[in-house]
Amino acid sequence: MTATPLAQDDPVLRLCNITKRFGALTANDGISFDLARGEVMALLGENGAGKTTLMNILFGHYSADDGSVEVFGQTLPPGQPGAALRAGVGMVHQHFTLADNMTVLDNILLGTESLWKFGLGRGAARARVAALSRDFGLEVDPDAVIAALSVGERQRVEILKALYRDARILILDEPTAVLTPQETDALFDTLRRAVALGLSVIFISHKLHEVMAISTRVLVLRHGRLVGAVATQDTDRHKLAEMMVGAEIIPPAPSKATPGVPLLMLNRVTTAGLRDVSLTLRAGQITGLAGVSGNGQGALADLLSGLAVPRAGTLEIAGDTVTDWTPRRAIAAGIGRIPEDRHKTGTIADFTLTENAILETYADIPNSRYGWMDWRGAEQRAEAIIAQYDIRCPGPGTRIRLLSGGNMQKLILGRVLEESPRVILANQPVRGLDIGAVTYVQNQLLNARDSGAAVLLISEDLDEILTLSDVIHVISEGRLSPAFPRGTMKPADLGQWMAGQGFEYAA
Amino acid sequence: MNEIVDILISASFWAAILRIASPLIFATMGELICERAGVLNLGIEGIMVMGAFAGWIAVYAGLPLWGGVAVAMLSGMAFGLIHAVLTVPFGLSQHVVGIGITLIATSSAYYAYRLSLPEVTSPPRIEPFQPVDIPGLSDIPFIGTALFSQTPLTYFAFFTVLVVAFVLYRTPLGLALRAVGENPSAVEAQGLSVTALRMGAVIVGSGLMAVGGAFLTLSAFSSFFFEMVNGRGWICIALVVFGAWSPSKAMMGALLFAGFDALQVRLQQTSFGAMVPYQVFLMIPYILSILALVLMSRRANVPAALMVPYNRGER
Amino acid sequence: MRLEAIANPTLARSIGLPVLALVATFVVGGMLAMLAGANPLLTFGLILKGAAGSKFALLETLNRATPLIFTGLAVAVAFRARLWNIGAEAQLYAGALVTILIGTKLALPGVVLIPLMGIGALVAGGLVLLGPVLLKTRLGVDEVVTTLLLNFIMLLVISMLLEGPLKDPMGMGWPKSEAIPRDARLPRLVEGLRLHWGFGIAILSAIVVWVIQTRTTLGYEIRAVGLNAAAARFAGIPVGKVMIKTALLSGGLAALAGFSEVAGLRGTLTLDLSPGFGYTGIVVAMLALLNPLGVVVSAIFVAGIFVGADGMSRAAEVPTYIADILLATALLFMVLAILLTKFRVLRG
Amino acid sequence: QDPISVAGIYTVPVEQQWVSRIHIAAEAAKAAGQITYTFSENTANTDYPRVMREYAESGVKLIVGEVFGVETEAREVVLDYPDTAFLLGSSLPADPEYPNLAVFDNYIQDASYLSGIVAGAMTQTGKIGMVGGFPIPEVSRLMHAFMAGVKETRPDAEFQVSFIGSWFDPPNAKETAFAMIEGGVDMIYAERFGVSDAAMEKGILAIGNVIDTQSEYPKTVVASALWHFEPTLQAALANIAADAFKADNYGVFSFMKEGGCSLAPLGTFAGKVPQGALDLVTEREAAIKAGTFVVEINDTDPSI
Ligand SMILES: Nc1ncnc2c1ncn2[C@@H]1O[C@H](COP(=O)(O)OP(=O)(O)OP(=O)(O)O)[C@@H](O)[C@H]1O
Ligand SMILES: Nc1ncnc2c1ncn2[C@@H]1O[C@H](COP(=O)(O)OP(=O)(O)OP(=O)(O)O)[C@@H](O)[C@H]1O
Ligand SMILES: [Mg+2]
Ligand SMILES: [Mg+2]
């Protein structure tokens, strides 16, 4: 370890001995580090290691129980985001902080002027935003309403918000978790431009190749403590993973698949977001769906989940055409669904683990009988899932809100896999998870495949698709490419299809 | 049918609409400000009662009429402060606090009235605002009588709509207010205080509601009566939704509602009115409001964070 | 300022704060009474005496709590599903109306009429709430406003009926209905005092609702829909149907308040059957944190404060309006106290 | 002799015209040392029986009030407190089964009739408006008597009747009156607060009801039919003192011949009312008091 946390001569930012407790839990434990001008510092750590908490303290959302934050030599008053903003700190939060029904420009302007001024000066602001967009490569329509923007565009707005306020230090909390590879590349381009202009960046991600690609230095948190700091050039992905988890991580290595009978078939289906799509999911096979987000993945997931019905074409399960298609039918037909957003659709935050574990099966024995809940039965079921899927939690009576994303995901996985589904829809199953959890989830999907399930894996991470899938489809503007067997396509080839090329010739 | 046309072409009918709409407009703007900032203020009915009382008693005690309006506004702001403290930093249920405020403001006004005037058996009167002709405009035939021969408070009500619309859409403060009703974290992330903005909105909004109440005692009428607000506050809550949280549309809603009220009163005297139970006329504005809501529902843009308390550090 | 959840509140906190809220209410009451020239130190005892100082006082408190239990339950059930039913008042009147229709128009023995009236009311109240709920689930119309407006419409409908077809021919022209026959009235619980079997039905309803919420799949569905409708829909819970069932249950419960007031207390239908029981039900439910059994306690608390303070106003000869002030004060202090039993206030 | 303890229970505030007359009579008796007096106002009908019991339990000798909304329940209370005298406004006649309950109502049709005579003489257009709260007998009866009076001096008079569906919404009553005035009415029967204000603003005339408001609207209120509760209260007090209180109809004590109602003095309008009308008023008043002329009691809804 060549780089020590406190080695800078003239740091733009200095954190001293930051400690933060939530009740009995110490989320940050005496953390100190410096940030130099023009540096990209990556912050690594498992889910719940305390990264977001630390950044929230730095930005003034939380006040630390101990320690201080200095920006350009000035100590920041605790608990005042306004002070951090004025001092030149800009933050892009893990969960975006945008008002969805307002325009880009209004979101950027918010809070930048004295509240008591007459007039908003939108004209001048628009010009300034346009200039910033150009300088930093952040293309976005200033008059668009946020709700109409893609995730990547929203992120650009978040960065523009910081730049508009002349931020000198940019904090990005898991900015790439929801981005497509292309968008990630664009983001990195922006960050490089920013650094070139003398800004400093703190970058949080669970994706080690990204950390390797963009950062100059890496700090690693574990259980709230700073456990390591290295210059990026002196390390590699394996070493970083080991520092994070404390043990070596073995990435999944799929064995050869033995495809079986078709379990689910789409015959020229059209829905709100799909155009004339035909697809066959076979037993014992993982079908990967690659594509730039927003090209119909959601529509396909909704269709298989039972939330949408075909407008034209048919959906066949084990040879039978379905009618009256609802989520309940989908579950009954043996489709296990891992939703894209575990917070919004996958779980009910204020339900306990037990209640969440039976969300899809509450009406069945042993969870209930004749409309009467059997809470003992339900709890036993939850306990079984907790034990088998190694969910870290105080117990089945804990509200799921208190679990980390990885553990939440394990519960969903357990809830789905315990039903021995014939078909599994896995929509972004590892988004936002740390590397340990990612490996765990992927191995579970492979196991399910090996025991004969048909898996549809939707992901924007091409590496993940290429590693896990036995056949790959690309989706673009609601159309589906032909199936490409494992090993027949390179990332660049897929990229062409993702950009929409080739579809003219496809069926 | 002729009778209805007669009503519609009489200038005094249109003048009545503006008059009846005035208190609704004040209170609707007040509620709109609160809801735009994310707080449903069910205290409106009681705050209007308090405003009606406070404004009136101040004038009765010797203050000029505009002094009464100011006192009413302050009284509304005081109850707004209680509402704001309980619902914003403490994040208590906006339903309970609102109903509690309505109860406490109403009964406090009654209690204070009885304590200050224990002996009266007939409500004392003050000299209320008189209609003021606007020079030039009020001489225009028909329009002059219909629109420009109102009491100053009515003109003030429409001026308030302009101010509210201007502030909401054309100033940094309005931008922040709208944002805090859409997504408080967005506001906090930009260095503004969610608490201060929301509390400010509730306090100022409540002040306007109270002025709406004071209109009843200082302009529409000259004495304070128990129960004289008579559900007008609840109507305003509907008007805000009806107006899809936009000041100008909400004002149109108030005018429409007042229109049906004015029409209702006049229809009762027609031959048609004699055939239909008077309750049917009284019902019309409510039924139309619901119908309008049904028609508007798809386009309504509810402030996304309405009724959601914000606690920093909680997700 | 920031609130932080307390993992394990101490007993002193859980009990001390609500007691403090009560004491604060009494202090406010004393000061207000002093303004009116009464001895502030006496008010405390007078309120207690008025609310529970005698069998009569206690039973009157329970009597006034009865409709509040029903409307409180109605609100608790609806709010659990995030169905903002502000229209318990309208549903109450719908229940009362059907009670009167069945009770006065059907010539049947009391034992048949009583259950018939109850069931009729239940159905009527449910149907009244069904409209706004269908508008909400089908067209996305905000139910806060529709249920609120229905309160006014329902009162006007009743007014029209009471001055028209339902007017009691023996009522000397007053807008009031005929009385239901003696044997179709809910029996008194205590001879000579007003408390009637409506109270028993209310307690029973609270238990039933509690069982539904905690022990049945419907209760589970209602809670899931209320906490996260999107997740519930994804998991296969029929959100629309659950909403409709919730509406029928909630509206029905509110209507039972009307049934109980008419069949147990008043015998006839008038326009002033409810002094805002529907609105107070919201407060009762929230004070109980939407817990059905808690609703019983909070309804009795709310009724007790009102009856006690009202009695105090007479004994101390201060204007009667003090009762409502104290009720509201007690409420606001109490919701705050309940919050502070679970959260601690931090700076920053 | 010790003052008799009296309690009033009112479902509306004591400002309400009707209740104010009871309240004033009681306050006067209290000032005269005849009674002690406390009251509860704005009592909901749900709470009414409880309040009755609370006063009865506290040993009050006479309870006055109004039970139009709780006739049955109130009678149950009455039976439970045989030592307390109840003098209650009620639509039902007295009943010996409730020996301690006497009923009354404001039967002031005599005065209303006389005020109608004045109104008929003062209207120019012959269009007369009437704004009421609800079409209940107490209101309808007086409106009919008033109309009968008008017909004496203005046989071709036309009447417009509106009910605002509320006892207390002066701004609404005022709007309703405005609407009538636009319709050509130049004389208005002010059953509710708010009506005289409209008349004053528009410079037309009004007739008061139950109370005299001429001092507040000196150029507007021509005449008023006044109710005097004193004879009713005094009769009850006398019976209590004599231990002779029983089920009885005290409504008659509101009749003119008992002094229960009167036409308010013309005051500011003295000399402005045609002599012919005044002569008729004097003549009819004498006849009513002598019992040779009876004003019809008609409780039907005048708007139909
Ligand atoms: N508001 C809060 N209240 C209580 N505890 C909290 C709160 N926020 C975070 N924690 C605790 O602090 C720990 C650190 O959380 P933090 O969000 O900082 O993790 P993280 O490193 O950002 O995780 P991830 O990689 O999943 O984003 C968590 O384990 C959690 O238990
Ligand atoms: N209100 C809270 N109270 C207690 N702990 C919390 C709270 N909010 C978050 N946490 C904790 O913070 C940690 C991180 O939360 P966060 O929501 O960032 O999860 P995550 O692991 O990043 O999931 P995801 O990536 O899906 O958002 C979790 O371990 C969770 O236990
Ligand atoms: Mg995080
Ligand atoms: Mg995360």
Side-chain angles (χ1 to χ4, degrees), chain C residues 108-121:
Chain C
L108 293 169
V111 279
V112 185
L113 273 183
I114 290 179
L116 220 52
M117 292 187 301
I119 293 166

Side-chain angles (χ1 to χ4, degrees), chain A residues 313-324:
Chain A
T314 55
L315 167 59
E316 278 176 33
I317 291 175
D320 296 329
T321 301
V322 300
T323 50
D324 246 353

Side-chain angles (χ1 to χ4, degrees), chain C residues 56 60 64 163 172-176 182 188 192 194 265-266 272-273 275 306 310-311 314 317 320-321, chain D residues 38 40-42 45-47 49-51 53-55 68-69 71 73 76 80 91 134-138:
Chain C
F56 163 71
E60 274 297 331
R64 206 173 202 282
E163 287 177 20
M172 309 297 293
W174 277 82
K176 111 179 144 187
R182 271 269 142 223
R188 298 280 149 106
R194 292 209 290 171
L265 213 52
R266 309 283 286 273
D272 54 12
L273 182 71
F306 179 82
D310 194 41
R314 268 179 289 285
E317 300 207 14
T320 22
Y321 307 107
Chain D
T38 82
S40 283
E41 57 179 331
N42 228 13
N45 273 327
T46 306
D47 300 313
R50 171 167 51 79
V51 178
R53 282 177 195 274
E54 282 179 15
Y55 276 131
F68 300 103
E71 303 274 13
E73 278 196 86
E76 288 170 12
D80 284 345
S91 310
F134 294 95
I136 56 154
E138 284 65 21

Side-chain angles (χ1 to χ4, degrees), chain A residues 22 25 27 46-53 62 94 174 206, chain B residues 313:
Chain A
F22 292 113
L25 180 120
E46 297 181 84
N47 291 126
K51 307 178 292 293
T52 300
T53 305
Y62 295 167
Q94 188 168 357
E174 292 193 40
H206 290 295

